[in-house]
């Protein structure tokens, strides 16, 4: 396992049943790297632990005036030094490799899960949590995974040193062998409280980050209503809560660190005091006392790894739990991929609602409930939020296609598309057929003013394609972001394009031009638009009204607005009173045609006898002419 092997061809199937199980799964999937780090760790720690024996041998050789033993001690000391340097170098390389590979594996799994779930991911898990897991949490998870091998090497070394001291000098060795395990477990009672405080701090920090993100995202609105100071005060309070929680957590970890310093010091004092008495009585040599003293001094280094593994686990456990929660999410319907091959073509049909989008036509869908429109758009894209009968493209259920094939055949742009930061050229660098160029797509989406704004906002971008787009397009208005997203969808030129309210944030004149450009650019291709805009509906070849999960009317806009009260109510947004008045007028007009009208053969002056929606059609024609 090497860093150059990243990314993995197959990161594997994670055990996402719980955080500890996920950590164990990660550890098992890089056993080669763990054993390599363990081997180098044992060399490093064993070389460090051998230094006191070499020093004790040298001192005793000086006391005994033995030149041969002094030379031998010098050679062993040089060998131990080389082992320390070699082991430390390659232990660091192996540990960093384990850390990076574990973090990269988690990031690959998260990216694959996000691609699998699509837009359904952020409705089931907060977007901020997904970002937190894929950035900060993966580092903590990688830290624990790589720290296990170093901790194991340190623990084995301590056991070997205790055994060696007992064999080398039983009187002092027994004291050390009893004292070191006590030092190792002394901080265990404090770990649960330290873990709780660390979890509380991360919870507060996450809340503050979420509040800051919401404030930045809504800064334009906040300035409009004068709410900047209100949200600033909220963030100040949240940041102070984070600071207090961090201080409380740091106090506990400082106490643990102090214990890790104090107890070895007490053990050292005890060993020296006891060793001096033994040396006075002639029961041990001076070199043996120096060896025991030096061993305890150097063992404080591997003992530190007990504190580190406790910290690593306490920080990585909630991170692993969050990662496992995201990785355990599944699609509402699983794509079996039993029909691998070229993307199918034909009519798009939803058996649940009876909605049909004929191939090659511009179909507009009107839903009274915007949420229902969003769910239906997701079903058309092959990734529904809830289980149900699969949508068919031609005669092929989308659920039977591999996910990448289904998404190649049907592209869905939801009502809140995201623009990634980078240049406009990079934004439009998406998988495409090549039949639609960037200039055509931008022109159809009416992006002329957007290009001018991008050039004006970029310092060294004479070409609009090289202009920079900020994160999520926050420097642009909602309508400008919407039009750039539409251009990105148009340039892909999919077999079926599904758009959910693509013009909800643009003005009427721009919307009329977009409707004309969309129809012309997508001529001969299947296009489905979920909208209630008369400007788009009037350009559609076919308009479908979906009410309470079923198709209730099919026709063209000008026909449906006269004949279907429910359709008219959704499109014109008329109230119940207005609908009743229009129905009464229509019935009066019919009665007048039968000779039962008022005297004079026409309605009274206060009643508009024109068909309902006629005024709107007149306004529609005026907008189209001016556009």
């Amino acid at each position: 396992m090497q860093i150059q092997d990243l990314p993995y061809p197959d990161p594997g199937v994670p055990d996402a049943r719980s955080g500890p199980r996920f950590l164990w799964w990660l550890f098992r999937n890089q056993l080669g790297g763990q054993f390599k780090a363990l081997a180098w760790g044992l060399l490093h720690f064993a070389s460090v632990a051998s230094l006191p024996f070499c020093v004790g041998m040298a001192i005793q050789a000086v006391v005994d005036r033995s030149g041969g033993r002094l030379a031998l001690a010098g050679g062993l000391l040089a060998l131990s030094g080389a082992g320390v340097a070699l082991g430390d170098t390659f232990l660091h390389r192996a540990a960093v490799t384990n850390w990076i590979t574990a973090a990269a594996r988690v990031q690959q799994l998260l990216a694959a899960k996000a691609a699998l779930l699509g837009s359904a991911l952020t409705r089931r898990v907060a977007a901020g949590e997904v970002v937190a897991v894929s950035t900060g949490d993966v580092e903590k998870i990688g830290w624990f995974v790589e720290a296990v091998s170093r901790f194991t090497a340190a623990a084995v070394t301590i056991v070997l040193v205790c055994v060696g001291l007992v064999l080398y000098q039983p009187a002092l060795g027994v004291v050390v062998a009893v004292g070191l395990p006590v030092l190792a477990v002394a901080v265990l009672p404090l770990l649960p409280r330290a873990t709780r405080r660390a979890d509380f701090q991360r919870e507060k920090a996450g809340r503050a980050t979420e509040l800051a993100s919401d404030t930045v995202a809504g800064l334009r609105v906040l300035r409009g209503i004068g709410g900047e100071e209100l949200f600033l005060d909220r963030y100040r309070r949240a940041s102070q809560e984070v600071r207090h929680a961090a201080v409380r957590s740091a106090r506990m970890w400082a106490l643990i660190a102090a214990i890790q310093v104090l107890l070895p010091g007490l053990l050292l004092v005890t060993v020296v005091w006891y060793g001096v008495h033994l040396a006075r009585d002639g029961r041990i040599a001076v070199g043996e006392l120096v060896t025991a003293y030096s061993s305890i001094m150097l063992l404080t280094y591997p003992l530190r790894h007990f504190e580190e593994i406790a910290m690593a686990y306490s920080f990585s456990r909630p991170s692993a739990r969050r990662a496992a929660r995201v990785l355990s999410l599944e699609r509402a319907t699983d794509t079996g991929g039993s029909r691998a091959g070229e993307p199918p073509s034909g009519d798009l049909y939803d058996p649940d609602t009876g909605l049909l989008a004929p191939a090659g036509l511009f179909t507009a869908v009107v839903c009274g409930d915007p949420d229902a429109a969003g769910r239906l758009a997701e079903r058309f894209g092959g990734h529904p939020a809830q289980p149900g009968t699969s949508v068919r493209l031609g005669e092929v259920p989308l659920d039977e296609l591999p996910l990448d094939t289904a998404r190649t055949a049907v592209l869905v742009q939801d009502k809140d598309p995201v623009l990634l930061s980078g240049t406009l050229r990079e934004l439009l660098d998406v998988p495409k057929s090549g039949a639609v160029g960037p200039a055509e797509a931008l022109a159809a989406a009416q992006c002329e003013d957007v290009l001018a704004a991008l050039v004006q906002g970029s310092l060294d971008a004479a070409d609009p394609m090289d202009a920079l787009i900020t994160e999520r397009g926050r420097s642009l208005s909602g309508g400008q972001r919407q039009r750039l997203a539409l251009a990105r969808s148009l340039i892909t030129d999919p077999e079926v394009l599904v758009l959910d309210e693509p013009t909800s944030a643009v003005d009427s004149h721009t919307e009329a031009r977009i409707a004309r450009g969309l129809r012309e650019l997508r001529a001969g291709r299947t296009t489905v638009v979920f909208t209630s805009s008369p400007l788009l509906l009037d350009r559609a070849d076919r308009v479908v009204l979906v009410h309470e999960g079923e198709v209730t009317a099919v026709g063209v806009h000008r026909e449906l607005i006269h004949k279907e009260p429910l359709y008219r109510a959704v499109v014109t947004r008329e109230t119940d009173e207005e609908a009743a008045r229009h129905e009464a007028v229509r019935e009066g007009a019919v009665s007048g045609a039968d000779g039962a009208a008022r005297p004079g053969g026409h309605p009274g002056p206060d009643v508009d006898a024109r068909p309902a929606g006629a005024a709107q059609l007149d306004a529609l024609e005026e907008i189209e002419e001016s556009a």
Side-chain angles (χ1 to χ4, degrees):
M1 179 186 302
Q2 299 294 330
I3 294 179
Q4 58 261 31
D5 297 332
L6 300 174
Y8 297 111
D10 180 13
V13 179
D15 186 350
R17 289 176 291 178
S18 65
R21 287 178 182 270
F22 180 61
L23 291 174
W24 174 241
W25 178 83
L26 282 174
F27 179 83
R28 288 189 291 109
N29 274 268
Q30 52 186 65
L31 283 178
Q34 296 291 347
F35 283 126
K36 186 183 297 185
L38 177 60
W40 290 117
L42 286 174
L43 174 63
H44 173 62
F45 289 124
S47 298
V48 171
S50 66
L51 292 175
F53 292 95
C54 298
V55 172
M57 180 183 294
I59 291 177
Q60 192 62 42
V62 171
V63 172
D64 297 340
R65 299 180 180 277
S66 173
R69 280 189 293 159
L70 183 60
L72 177 61
L76 293 176
L77 194 62
L79 186 62
S80 297
V84 170
L86 186 66
D88 188 32
T89 300
F90 286 95
L91 171 61
H92 180 72
R93 287 174 57 91
V96 170
T97 300
N98 288 337
W99 189 337
I100 293 178
T101 51
R105 188 187 296 272
V106 177
Q107 286 180 323
Q108 270 191 261
L109 291 170
L110 291 169
K113 181 62 67 173
L116 177 67
L117 295 175
S119 59
L121 174 62
T122 52
R123 283 192 301 276
R124 300 169 68 179
V125 180
E129 182 172 352
V130 177
V131 173
V133 172
S134 59
T135 53
D137 284 342
V138 295
E139 294 187 3
K140 298 180 179 66
I141 293 171
W143 176 27
F144 173 75
V145 171
E146 71 85 12
V148 171
S149 55
R150 290 189 292 112
F151 163 73
T152 304
V156 171
T157 301
I158 290 174
V159 171
L160 293 177
V161 170
C162 289
V163 173
L165 282 176
V166 170
L167 296 177
Y168 179 71
Q169 176 44 251
L172 290 177
V174 170
V175 176
V176 175
V178 172
L180 283 178
V182 174
L183 298 184
V185 302
V187 297
L188 289 182
L190 300 177
L191 290 180
R193 182 178 298 179
T195 301
R196 287 194 298 271
R197 291 189 179 185
D199 290 346
F200 183 73
Q201 176 202 349
R202 282 190 290 274
E203 179 184 345
K204 291 293 184 181
R207 172 56 185 157
T209 302
E210 180 181 350
L211 182 60
S213 178
D214 290 343
T215 303
V216 172
L219 190 57
R220 182 173 298 178
V221 177
L222 291 176
R223 286 174 176 170
I225 63 176
E228 294 174 88
E229 287 299 325
L230 175 63
F231 272 77
L232 182 59
D233 289 340
R234 290 182 182 177
Y235 182 75
R236 282 171 177 163
R237 289 195 298 271
S239 63
Q240 288 300 312
E241 291 177 359
V242 173
R243 184 179 67 84
H244 289 305
V247 169
R248 293 184 71 247
S249 178
R251 285 173 180 169
M252 184 56 64
W253 289 111
L255 176 60
I256 292 175
I259 292 175
Q260 291 288 308
V261 174
L262 176 63
L263 294 185
L266 293 177
L267 178 61
L268 184 63
V269 171
T270 302
V271 169
V272 171
W273 176 81
Y274 184 53
V276 168
H277 282 282
L278 293 178
R280 284 179 177 177
D281 296 340
R283 296 169 57 184
I284 63 171
V286 175
E288 294 173 339
L289 176 60
V290 172
T291 298
Y293 169 81
S294 302
S295 296
I296 298 173
M297 285 287 294
L298 292 178
L299 282 180
T300 56
Y301 169 52
L303 275 174
R304 286 286 181 179
H305 288 75
F306 285 78
E307 176 190 353
E308 183 187 2
I309 196 66
M311 291 183 65
Y313 181 71
S314 67
F315 280 94
S316 66
R317 183 176 56 84
S319 298
R321 185 173 62 246
R322 285 192 291 268
R325 183 166 60 249
V326 174
L327 294 175
S328 63
L329 298 176
E330 297 294 340
R331 286 170 50 88
T333 57
D334 186 22
T335 53
S338 59
R339 294 189 183 231
E342 292 296 322
S345 60
D347 298 342
L348 193 64
Y349 177 67
D350 179 23
D352 281 2
T353 60
L355 176 56
L356 173 67
L361 296 184
F362 183 174
T363 302
V365 182
V366 177
C367 295
D369 181 5
D371 293 334
R375 291 191 295 269
L376 192 52
E378 291 170 359
R379 285 182 51 77
F380 267 36
H383 30 84
Q386 298 176 350
T389 307
S390 175
V391 171
R392 292 178 174 271
L393 181 58
E395 298 298 326
V396 180
L398 290 180
D399 286 353
E400 296 183 8
L401 294 173
L403 189 58
D404 56 348
T405 303
R407 289 178 173 172
T408 300
V410 182
L411 174 66
V412 178
Q413 176 184 305
D414 61 24
K415 64 182 64 179
D416 187 23
V418 175
L419 300 182
L420 303 179
S421 59
T423 65
L424 180 58
R425 193 184 310 277
E426 293 169 339
L427 177 71
L428 300 180
D429 186 16
V430 293
K432 48 188 175 290
S433 67
V436 178
E440 297 174 90
L442 291 168
Q446 301 299 310
C447 293
E448 292 84 358
D449 64 314
V450 185
L451 300 180
L454 287 175
V455 171
Q456 185 178 4
S458 300
L459 297 177
D460 301 320
D463 186 352
M465 298 298 290
D466 296 326
L468 290 176
I469 299 174
T470 58
E471 180 192 5
R472 300 181 68 89
R474 288 197 174 106
S475 60
L476 302 173
S477 67
Q480 291 173 329
R481 290 196 299 268
Q482 205 169 52
R483 282 178 280 163
L484 282 180
L486 177 59
R488 180 178 58 187
S489 299
L490 291 175
I491 200 174
T492 61
D493 189 37
E495 181 70 24
V496 179
L497 176 60
V498 179
L499 304 172
D500 186 9
E501 294 289 355
T503 59
S504 59
V506 301
D507 61 86
S508 299
H509 294 281
T510 304
E511 188 175 27
R513 293 193 293 268
I514 291 175
R516 182 173 62 247
L518 179 62
R519 181 182 175 84
E520 293 173 355
L521 192 63
R522 292 288 298 172
R525 307 287 267 172
T526 307
T527 307
V528 181
V529 179
F530 289 84
T531 183
S532 59
S533 167
L535 294 166
L536 285 173
L537 294 170
D538 195 51
R539 288 284 183 177
D541 298 312
R542 194 166 183 267
V543 178
V544 181
L545 174 63
V546 177
H547 180 62
E548 295 183 352
E550 293 183 356
V551 172
T552 58
V554 179
V556 295
H557 172 62
R558 297 181 183 244
E559 172 188 325
L560 293 175
I561 205 165
H562 288 297
K563 295 182 178 180
E564 291 292 334
L566 180 59
Y567 177 85
R568 183 174 58 250
V570 174
V571 174
T572 64
R573 295 168 176 81
E574 65 181 6
T575 62
D576 293 340
E577 292 78 5
E578 291 172 335
R581 181 166 58 85
H582 287 155
E583 186 64 22
V585 169
R586 189 182 68 83
E587 291 176 356
V590 172
S591 299
D594 293 337
R598 294 185 179 185
H602 57 82
D606 296 332
V607 180
D608 185 0
R610 292 185 301 164
Q616 186 187 43
L617 290 177
D618 293 340
L620 172 62
E621 291 172 352
E622 292 178 5
I623 291 174
E624 289 179 334
E625 290 173 1
S626 63

